[in-house]
Amino acid sequence: MLELNLADLESAKIGRESGLEVDAELKAWAPELDHYHRALLDRAQDPAAMLGWISVPEDTETARAVRRYAEGAAWAREVVVLGIGGSALPARGLYEALGLSQKTLHFLDHTDPLPVRRLLARLDPEKTLVLAVSKSGGTAETAALLLVFRRWLEEALGEDWRRHLAVVTDPEKGPLRAYARAEGIAAFDVPPEVGGRFSALTPVGTLPLALAGADVEALLMGARRANRRALETAAKSALMLFLLDRHRKKPVHVFMPYGRRLLGVGQWFAQLHAESLGKAKDQKGSRVHTGPTPLPALGPSDQHSLLQLFREGPFDKVVVFLRMKDPGEDLKLPAVPGLEAFDYLFEKTLFALQEAEAEGTRRALLEAGRPSFTLWIDRADEESLGELYQFLMWQTAFLGELYGVNAFDQPGVELAKVYTYALLGRKGYEEIRARLLEEA
Ligand code: PA5
């Protein structure tokens, strides 16, 4: 079960300049948080509010369909996921964190020709399944890679290419859905009321994960627990982050998991935070230009790089640690004659070292009066990660309420897409193209 340890935020420990009276603040804000919680649950009834992610963990029927498809695709050894932003980051974070090995997944969320060529040269089309994932069904990066992989499959397999391609997209709208219908290829839905970065537990995430061997039902079970505990956990951490920004001038939110496998979770956290909270307008339409800056870091690697800045640089950061209680598999360090200089490590484990590093960093920040707090998960398994993911979505939603912004749109991201389409001459974008060319 996810735990939140807020002790290192206490003013008594780190001083009044950066610290908070945690219990007093939680008490004072309890009615407000309760109100936001109820407001979010009420608004979730309206599909336009884009709060469908709250009920996604209840949808066990889709999870079963995903599992059946994955069982039928036992022939595939490798899966190429074409998608970007919310159609890649959450799933990749989970895949890496779970350390799955049933199939190798390749997430192509870029347009760099060299790695794409290298991958194509290495893959066996007979044993490759390609998933094109795009909620809108039209994002240029995903569309471009679909063109490449669709041609590659057909050249190698002839008419059998259809068995090697599946799409995850809006149930009705967009070119990807139309294409899947026209060609009769497998298609899964991204519910219209769930935004890209909040779609981790829809087939956007569950389909690739089920193919890689994940227990999707356990992911959803963990997420349902996060739903039940949203006020107890996510509301509190959101409040701390908000107060530290607004009242203690800490607008930089560092997210620092310990464990290489959790790197991708940090990258998704950055997307959730940045795309949801970086807004020019508040919920009433007034100009605000608000949003904390997320900064993903990784322990212990970044103890040897970013930590110096966190401890001694500007007093503008709060560090959120993410730690596991149990690594699952560990590795014992042998006693090696001749290497007694390192005897303090003999017979310990890699995880024990990692934990000592996390603890050392926490204390180094504490002594310097730098605020931090810790999220604990039991282990990096489906249930714990499902809970963590849903917790992070709730945290973002509460932050949206606290900052007074709509956390579920992304006008800046959409505008860059429009300009990309216009510059490439997509039909329907002629006027914008003419303006851009004139301004160039
Ligand atoms: O969170 C979001 O809405 C975005 O990051 C999208 O996921 C991203 O732009 C990709 O969009 P799509 O899934 O429509 O291809």
Side-chain angles (χ1 to χ4, degrees):
M1 195 155 75
L2 185 137
E3 282 168 29
L4 194 61
N5 187 335
L6 303 173
D8 289 353
L9 295 177
E10 285 290 350
S11 300
K13 282 190 166 186
I14 56 172
R16 298 200 67 78
E17 193 194 334
S18 294
L20 296 169
E21 311 304 326
V22 175
D23 286 343
E25 295 287 10
L26 287 173
K27 202 163 165 214
W29 282 80
E32 206 84 355
L33 294 178
D34 196 51
H35 165 74
Y36 292 147
H37 188 223
R38 272 187 280 115
L40 285 163
L41 291 175
D42 284 350
R43 290 211 312 271
Q45 309 309 316
D46 172 9
M50 301 301 286
L51 285 154
W53 53 271
I54 297 176
S55 53
V56 163
E58 312 292 337
D59 183 7
T60 46
E61 199 181 309
T62 301
R64 273 196 298 278
V66 157
R67 181 155 46 80
R68 277 196 301 275
Y69 178 83
E71 283 162 7
W75 53 267
R77 290 281 155 270
E78 300 192 61
V79 179
V80 181
V81 183
L82 314 177
I84 199 160
S87 290
L89 289 170
R92 188 174 60 197
L94 283 169
Y95 170 64
E96 290 172 1
L98 289 166
L100 299 167
S101 59
Q102 189 166 299
K103 295 188 203 312
T104 305
L105 303 192
H106 306 274
F107 287 89
L108 292 190
D109 61 346
H110 61 77
T111 49
D112 190 343
L114 183 69
V116 177
R117 291 184 75 106
R118 292 259 160 92
L119 182 62
L120 283 167
R122 218 170 44 61
L123 287 171
D124 173 0
E126 295 276 358
K127 304 242 172 286
T128 302
L129 175 64
V130 178
L131 302 182
V133 185
S134 172
K135 180 172 182 202
S136 62
T139 303
E141 297 89 337
T142 309
L145 291 169
L146 174 62
L147 298 177
V148 171
F149 276 85
R150 158 72 172 74
R151 169 62 55 85
W152 175 78
L153 286 174
E154 193 175 10
E155 278 175 0
L157 306 169
E159 284 305 300
D160 203 29
W161 67 265
R162 284 180 184 78
R163 198 167 67 96
H164 292 249
L165 180 64
V167 307
V168 184
T169 191
D170 185 276
E172 297 296 334
K173 290 189 278 184
L176 212 49
R177 174 60 62 175
Y179 184 65
R181 276 198 192 119
E183 295 289 355
I185 55 180
F188 291 84
D189 297 349
V190 189
E193 64 280 9
V194 180
R197 58 196 173 279
F198 292 87
S199 64
L201 303 176
T202 73
V204 169
T206 55
L207 182 60
L209 292 167
L211 284 160
D215 179 348
V216 166
E217 272 95 350
L219 263 177
L220 300 187
M221 190 162 72
R224 289 196 293 274
R225 187 160 65 217
N227 277 351
R228 290 193 297 275
R229 301 180 67 221
L231 255 184
E232 199 188 314
T233 55
K236 292 183 181 168
S237 60
L239 177 67
M240 296 299 122
L241 291 171
F242 172 74
L243 292 177
L244 286 160
D245 177 10
R246 282 294 160 88
H247 298 185
R248 297 289 184 273
K249 300 195 178 74
K250 310 282 180 258
V252 181
H253 294 172
V254 178
F255 187 75
M256 189 164 183
Y258 267 76
R260 173 63 183 74
R261 76 185 90 162
L262 299 174
L263 177 68
V265 179
Q267 289 168 340
W268 172 59
F269 162 83
Q271 186 210 12
L272 257 189
H273 232 59
E275 219 169 315
S276 306
L277 305 171
K279 296 289 155 72
K281 290 190 179 145
D282 67 14
Q283 283 167 351
K284 296 189 185 100
S286 308
R287 286 173 77 80
V288 284
H289 293 294
T290 194
T293 300
L295 175 50
L298 185 70
S301 324
D302 284 321
Q303 277 180 233
H304 305 271
S305 91
L306 298 174
L307 179 60
Q308 178 63 31
L309 176 75
F310 298 166
R311 189 176 191 275
E312 296 180 23
F315 275 81
D316 61 355
K317 299 173 193 63
V318 47
V319 177
V320 182
F321 293 111
L322 170 62
R323 289 166 69 178
M324 296 178 269
K325 288 187 184 162
D326 168 7
E329 293 174 35
D330 204 349
L331 188 62
K332 196 161 176 196
L333 308 174
V336 179
L339 287 174
E340 282 77 11
F342 310 122
D343 63 359
Y344 66 97
L345 296 170
F346 287 178
E347 308 302 334
K348 305 228 169 57
T349 68
L350 269 188
F351 185 67
L353 169 60
Q354 184 170 293
E355 272 300 287
E357 306 221 49
E359 204 45 34
T361 300
R362 186 183 77 74
R363 282 167 195 242
L365 292 176
L366 188 67
E367 275 169 18
R370 307 295 171 131
S372 75
F373 66 92
T374 303
L375 303 176
W376 283 99
I377 55 171
D378 292 335
R379 58 192 71 79
D381 65 3
E382 285 87 343
E383 200 179 319
S384 296
L385 289 165
E387 183 174 10
L388 174 70
Y389 262 53
Q390 193 78 355
F391 159 87
L392 287 172
M393 293 191 250
W394 270 109
Q395 176 181 275
T396 310
F398 279 115
L399 280 166
E401 299 301 297
L402 287 157
Y403 281 100
V405 297
N406 177 3
F408 307 104
D409 66 359
Q410 54 286 324
V413 170
E414 302 301 340
L415 185 63
K417 285 190 188 182
V418 166
Y419 286 168
T420 304
Y421 298 145
L423 290 168
L424 289 167
R426 184 173 169 179
K427 266 200 226 81
Y429 293 79
E430 293 80 2
E431 260 180 50
I432 302 171
R433 177 177 169 80
R435 174 165 70 77
L436 294 181
L437 293 181
E438 201 180 296
E439 284 169 10

